[in-house]
Each structure stands twice: as structure tokens, then as C-alpha cells.
């Protein structure tokens, strides 16, 4: 049966997709709005607190904390691409987005999410140099290198994302405009593509492999070398200190890469809307919320720096009052 398709032209750029994942009931929508708003407020406050603490506390001006501050900054940006739009859609009766806006949202969401993955890989390299090459650490992990690695993670992430999104949105779309999701992401949007060639699916998997699997393999290799070096230490206290240094990062890596691998490193035929919607909420709201907690609770220096800022602010408010 022939199916009408939609391709890029002046008319199609204004064409609208409809998000179908939002609840129909007003009570449920209000409950979702309050829940997402609370989670987003905690994400913003937690990550801003980390960025400000690292910026103001002189003893935290080290490569490890520079990367951590950059990670918090990227997570603030990539949640800002999606969550405010989700909140608006939760309250609106019409949950629509134009083709151009959908493509733009996808570029920045996937791009900044990929930047997160690359930055976690660079953070693993920082830990490797600190533990395996401690005497050369100040010479290798310079400020210039740290800045270049952060910029590279963002640039590479956005470049891969742009390539993927251009490819997807150059494909013919069917007349069905309902996206079984809360926002524009590759798997649900690919479901609206009329072309059934395996080449299209393979292209998405290749992009996901470059952004997810390659950095993860680098992290796994790095940690294998770290474990081998730590096991050679004669001091039990030294081994414990080394593992404590890496435990927070490793926890975040498993959380981030687990969700991303489930979403993107699989065939399109294995797409399950309800399950994917839940997983997407985990890495949009759960991971950016948990990361500050994981790094703060396991790090006495971060706890001390955040405690100073909170105490300073409370004293300032008392003096003003």
C-alpha cells in the first residue's frame, strides 16, 4: 500500500509532531508536573552548588574537580534542552513540536549526552594518570589539556549528533505524526520513518557505538590498568584510598552508560515505548540528580566546600535580615 511521505521543504519544516506519552488525566498531569518540577529544581541546585563550590574553593582547583565541574555544567545544559519543554507540554492540551524544533532539540540533547560520555572517559584517564603515573601527573594533566579535553568532548558530541540528526531528518516520514515519547529522541522518531532499509538502522547503531561503546571500552581498559596498579601497592590504606578515589566515578559511569546502552545500542525492532519512556526519565532526571549526591557523599573535600558555601550564605541572609 503506498504511503504518503513527508520530506524537507518550506511546508514540512512547519509540520508538527504530537507527543503521545503524556497522561490524559488532568490530575495525573498536575502530579507529573509537580514531580518533574521538584526533580528539576534539585538537579539545578545540586549541580550549580558543585560548580560554585569548585570555582570558589582554591584547593579544588585541580584537574579532577575541573572535570567534575564541567560534567555538572554539561548536565545542566542537556536537562535544560528537554525538561522545561516537558513541563510546558504537561500543562498544555496540545503537546506538539515542529519538525525543525524537533531536529534542533535532538541535536543538542544527543550531542550533550554524548559529551557527557566522552567527558566521563577523560575523567577515567585523569584517574589513571593520578594513580599509575603520580610523579608525571602535574606535567601531563595541565590546565590547557583539561580545557582542550572538555571542549573536545562537547565538539565531538555535537558533531556526531548533528551527523545523526541530519541523516534521520533527511529520510521520508510517514503521515503518522505521533511520537510515543516525552521529547524528540532518535529511537521514537525513527519509528515514524517510512524507509525500512537496514542501512538506516545500522547508521544509528554506528553513531551510538562511537558515542557510547568506544568511550566505555576506553574506560574499561583504563580501569583494568588502574586495578592492576593498585593491587601492586603494599599498603592497604593506599589501596583503599585509590579505590575510594575511583568509586564515585565508576558508579556514575555504570548508571550513565547502562541507560544509554539500553536506549541506543540495540535494533529498532526491540523498541518498547513504555519501557523506553521510563528509562529516558532515569537518564534525564535520575542521573543528573544522583551525580552530585554520589560525588558529594563519597568525597570529604566536596562536602567541606559545599558546607562552607551553605554556611556562608545562611550567615549572609541572617546579616541582611
Amino acid at each position: 500500500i503506498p504511503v504518503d511521505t513527508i520530506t524537507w521543504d518550506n511546508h514540512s519544516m512547519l509540520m508538527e509532531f504530537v507527543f503521545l506519552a503524556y497522561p490524559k488525566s488532568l490530575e495525573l498531569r498536575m502530579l507529573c508536573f509537580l514531580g518533574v518540577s521538584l526533580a528539576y529544581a534539585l538537579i539545578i541546585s545540586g549541580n550549580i552548588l558543585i560548580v560554585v563550590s569548585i570555582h570558589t574553593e582554591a584547593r579544588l582547583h585541580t584537574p579532577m574537580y575541573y572535570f567534575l565541574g564541567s560534567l555538572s555544567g554539561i548536565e545542566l545544559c542537556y536537562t535544560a534542552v528537554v525538561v522545561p519543554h516537558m513541563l510546558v507540554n504537561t500543562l498544555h492540551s496540545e503537546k506538539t513540536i515542529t519538525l525543525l524544533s524537533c531536529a534542533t532539540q535532538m541535536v543538542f540533547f544527543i550531542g550533550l549526552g554524548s559529551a557527557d560520555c566522552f567527558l566521563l572517559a577523560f575523567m577515567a584517564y585523569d584517574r589513571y594518570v593520578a594513580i599509575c603515573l603520580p610523579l608525571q601527573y602535574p606535567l601531563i594533566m595541565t590546565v590547557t589539556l583539561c580545557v582542550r579535553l572538555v571542549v573536545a568532548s562537547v565538539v565531538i558530541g555535537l558533531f556526531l549528533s548533528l551527523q545523526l540528526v541530519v541523516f534521520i531528518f533527511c529520510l521520508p516520514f510517514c503521515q503518522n505524526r505521533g511520537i510515543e515519547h516525552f521529547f524528540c529522541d532518535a529511537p521514537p522518531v525513527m519509528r515514524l520513518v517510512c524507509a525500512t532499509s537496514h542501512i538506516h538502522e545500522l547508521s544509528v547503531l554506528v553513531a551510538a557505538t562511537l558515542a557510547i561503546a568506544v568511550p566505555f571500552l576506553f574506560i574499561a581498559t583504563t580501569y583494568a590498568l588502574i586495578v592492576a596498579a593498585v593491587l601492586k601497592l603494599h599498603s592497604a590504606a593506599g589501596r583503599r584510598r585509590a579505590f575510594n578515589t575511583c568509586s564515585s566515578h565508576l558508579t556514575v559511569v555504570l548508571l550513565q552508560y547502562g541507560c544509554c546502552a539500553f536506549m541506543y545500542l540495540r535494533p529498532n525492532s526491540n523498541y518498547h515505548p513504555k519501557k523506553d519512556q521510563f528509562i529516558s526519565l532515569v537518564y534525564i532526571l535520575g542521573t543528573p540528580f544522583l551525580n552530585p549526591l554520589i560525588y558529594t557523599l563519597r568525597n570529604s573535600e566536596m562536602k567541606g566546600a559545599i558546607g562552607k558555601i551553605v554556611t556562608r550564605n545562611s550567615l549572609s541572609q541572617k546579616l541582611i535580615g
Side-chain angles (χ1 to χ4, degrees), residues 48-80:
I48 285 179
L49 204 53
I50 282 184
V51 172
V52 172
S53 300
I54 291 168
H55 180 72
T56 55
E57 192 67 27
R59 64 177 175 162
L60 300 184
H61 293 174
T62 63
M64 183 178 81
Y65 292 109
Y66 175 75
F67 285 131
L68 177 56
S70 301
L71 184 71
S72 290
I74 289 173
E75 292 194 333
L76 282 169
C77 293
Y78 100 83
T79 50

Side-chain angles (χ1 to χ4, degrees), residues 78-79 81-82 104-114 158 161 183-185 264 280 283-284:
Y78 100 83
T79 50
V81 170
V82 170
T104 305
Q105 185 183 66
M106 203 189 294
V107 166
F108 284 102
F109 176 72
I110 295 176
L112 292 169
S114 301
L158 289 173
S161 173
F183 58 92
C184 288
D185 200 4
Y264 301 108
S280 70
Y283 71 76
I284 290 167

Side-chain angles (χ1 to χ4, degrees), residues 14-26:
L14 300 174
M15 182 197 84
E16 291 185 330
F17 291 123
V18 181
F19 295 111
L20 304 176
Y22 293 91
K24 302 284 191 294
S25 160
L26 179 62

Side-chain angles (χ1 to χ4, degrees), residues 131 230-231 233 235-247:
I131 293 169
V230 169
L231 291 176
L233 295 175
S235 165
R239 286 198 296 271
R240 196 180 308 113
R241 191 164 57 252
F243 281 126
N244 285 340
T245 304
C246 299
S247 60

Side-chain angles (χ1 to χ4, degrees), residues 6 8 15 49 55 61 79 83 87 99 130 138 154 171 185 193 214 223 236 239 246 276 282 297 319:
I6 298 163
W8 285 94
M15 182 197 84
L49 204 53
H55 180 72
H61 293 174
T79 50
V83 179
L87 290 171
L99 191 74
V154 175
L171 296 172
D185 200 4
V193 172
V214 171
Y223 270 104
R239 286 198 296 271
C246 299
D276 286 24
V282 171
L297 293 175
L319 289 171

